[in-house]
Amino acid sequence: MRPTNAGIRQSWLYLFGPNAIILKAKCIMSEKATRHMALALKEAEAAASRSEVPVGAVLVAPDGRPFASDGNRTLERNDPTAHAEILVIRHACQATGSQRLPGFDLYVTLEPCAMCAAAISFARIRRLYFAAPDPKSGGVEHGAAFFQRDTCHHAPEVYGGIAETEAADLLKRFFAARRGEN
């Protein structure tokens, strides 16, 4: 019986080294990774239904099970820091009684902003998986490129492009509707 690639997707792996050297390599994502991102996409859809920018995040425990999931809630909470990434990190830190989350992996539907990238670093998240890049406000590949800075104490492994099309389409539809386009 021949092995099959069913359930396997390709993505980009970013490794940050000394002097902000970036190694970008194609990698294969497991079905588990795409399943976690699918849950993040559901959180993003729920955020959109609340008129929030549709970004969702899932924090996965070291044993591989989803530990926390949420979507943006900045409008609902009148809190500019209530990004999906921040919310799941806060939940996990409170639940574990620690400000550090080594061994945890974060799945998010949009490239994290600089604020969220800093929180990911401070929490010592092991791996970051994101769907769509954010050339305007991203803080990982774009903009601040937080993990490439000398002042960054911890840089997670970063995998981009998982379910990129689905996440980008959700964002495009959301903003088109806000502009009154169909």
Side-chain angles (χ1 to χ4, degrees), residues 131-149:
D134 187 355
K136 183 178 177 186
S137 300
V140 177
E141 289 183 338
H142 301 91
F146 187 86
F147 302 134
Q148 299 175 50
R149 303 289 171 220

Side-chain angles (χ1 to χ4, degrees), residues 38 50-51 57 68 78 84 86 92 95 109-110 145 158 170 182:
R50 297 187 302 270
S51 299
N78 294 312
I86 299 292
T109 58
L110 184 65
V158 177
L170 179 60
N182 287 334

Side-chain angles (χ1 to χ4, degrees), residues 35 39 41 53 57 59 66 93 98 100 115 135 153 180-182:
R35 197 169 49 245
L39 180 55
L41 283 164
V53 174
L59 193 61
C93 288
S98 175
R100 305 275 191 250
M115 174 186 69
H153 297 293
E181 302 169 7
N182 287 334

